[in-house]
Amino acid sequence: MCRWLAYTGTPVLLDTVLYKPAHSLIDQSLHSRMGVETTNGDGFGVGWYTPDDGIPAVFRDIGPAWSNRNLREIADHVRSPLFFAHIRASTGTPVQQTNCHPFRHGRWMWMHNGGITDFHQVRRDLALAVDPELFPDIEGSTDSEMMFYLALTFGLEQDPPGAVARMVGTVERTGRQHGVEFPLQMTVAVTDGQQMWAFRYSSQGASRSLFYSTQVEALRALHPDLAFLREASDETRLIVSEPLGDLPGAWNEVPESSYGVVRPGGDDLLPFTPQPV
């Protein structure tokens, strides 16, 4: 499987989140505590927005994140108010740049941890469900990218929670038609550069780990001596596959079969249910 993080809030250097925490994503690429694999070295990617452009930049490579000099270089110079980062452990599809997350379509970014069970059996049927106008934009061979384009097909740009629910309903129906009892395992993050959605769901009801950060205002009260909390805006949030450190009160587990939306002015945590198409 994989590990990922999504950040939104006060503009920071990528280094601040990717490298500096005690159990940073770079540390997790070698020493994951909660992932299926301890090592996540089958490629990585980061995607970020700048205030001047609604289209995110994406940098992806096939090597391990812990030794990539280019990632280390840009992390010290790129500052963003919203970015995604992902380290990959392949579930069977090739290690190549087009299979590294995050995936991008227009202003949208998507990343995923988990998998479609027996994807090789259901891949053709799922591909046929993708909007023919979108299908030529699929570059890689992963189940994760297929899920993204199914969500786009089902209206991601107008209704992200509904589109993801319809995508999941389609994957589960198709899998069960092929005799797969538990077709899907996922934690997913998706953003349009303004809002961010994160989903935790699995057909078996035993999803991969996912956490969100406590509100900054509450953390300041708990830890008034921490300088970085004084600099962060009240709307700064992190969503992560596993906590970046052991700061008491900093992390909260996303409930099973639920999703969160992070947006200016307020966040929500809501139940998630697949929808038939």
Side-chain angles (χ1 to χ4, degrees):
M1 299 296 175
C2 312
R3 305 279 82 185
W4 59 256
L5 68 81
Y7 173 91
T8 180
T10 300
V12 295
L13 289 172
L14 301 189
D15 168 76
T16 305
V17 177
L18 291 185
Y19 285 89
K20 287 186 176 178
H23 190 48
S24 69
L25 198 67
I26 303 303
D27 181 64
Q28 291 176 34
S29 67
L30 276 168
H31 307 294
S32 173
R33 300 171 184 171
M34 297 181 175
V36 175
E37 296 87 8
T38 301
T39 303
N40 298 271
D42 294 329
F44 69 88
V46 291
W48 66 92
Y49 296 82
T50 65
D52 302 325
D53 192 355
I55 306 299
V58 175
F59 170 54
R60 301 181 291 180
D61 206 352
I62 61 173
W66 66 78
S67 62
N68 192 279
R69 295 181 67 185
N70 290 328
L71 178 61
R72 175 70 270 185
E73 179 71 16
I74 68 170
D76 285 331
H77 296 279
V78 171
R79 187 181 300 272
S80 175
L82 196 162
F83 60 89
F84 280 4
H86 186 280
I87 50 175
R88 183 172 184 243
S90 173
T91 55
T93 49
V95 178
Q96 59 192 46
Q97 281 193 11
T98 54
N99 284 345
C100 294
H101 311 221
F103 302 100
R104 175 183 61 192
H105 181 81
R107 71 182 190 277
W108 291 83
M109 284 200 300
W110 171 284
M111 59 185 175
H112 165 236
N113 175 38
I116 297 176
T117 306
D118 293 333
F119 180 54
H120 64 286
Q121 293 186 18
V122 301
R123 181 179 175 184
R124 178 180 180 276
D125 288 354
L126 294 178
L128 290 173
V130 174
D131 186 330
E133 293 187 5
L134 292 171
F135 187 82
D137 294 333
I138 298 177
E139 296 184 322
S141 57
T142 65
D143 49 1
S144 303
E145 189 179 20
M146 185 73 74
M147 291 164 62
F148 182 29
Y149 277 85
L150 285 168
L152 286 164
T153 296
F154 296 135
L156 182 69
E157 295 175 304
Q158 294 77 40
D159 174 20
V164 174
R166 290 185 284 274
M167 176 275 290
V168 172
T170 298
V171 170
E172 290 193 321
R173 184 194 71 240
T174 303
R176 287 168 181 151
Q177 287 172 348
H178 286 262
V180 179
E181 184 178 6
F182 302 118
L184 184 62
Q185 170 74 241
M186 73 173 203
T187 64
V188 163
V190 60
T191 183
D192 62 356
Q194 301 296 320
Q195 301 183 67
M196 187 164 67
W197 295 261
F199 300 81
R200 184 180 185 220
Y201 176 81
S202 65
S203 305
Q204 196 171 5
S207 301
R208 301 292 180 246
S209 58
L210 193 64
F211 296 82
Y212 64 95
S213 60
T214 298
Q215 292 185 355
V216 171
E217 184 178 2
L219 282 176
R220 286 196 198 101
L222 286 171
H223 306 283
D225 55 326
L226 295 180
F228 73 88
L229 291 175
R230 293 195 293 270
E231 298 169 0
S233 71
D234 288 347
E235 295 186 338
T236 296
R237 297 287 184 274
L238 271 163
I239 304 175
V240 297
S241 294
E242 59 186 80
L244 304 184
D246 300 320
L247 186 67
W251 302 102
N252 311 275
E253 187 173 13
V254 175
E256 183 70 48
S257 299
S258 63
Y259 76 95
V261 54
V262 181
R263 58 184 172 232
D267 308 333
D268 286 310
L269 184 61
L270 302 164
F272 177 79
T273 305
Q275 293 181 17
V277 176

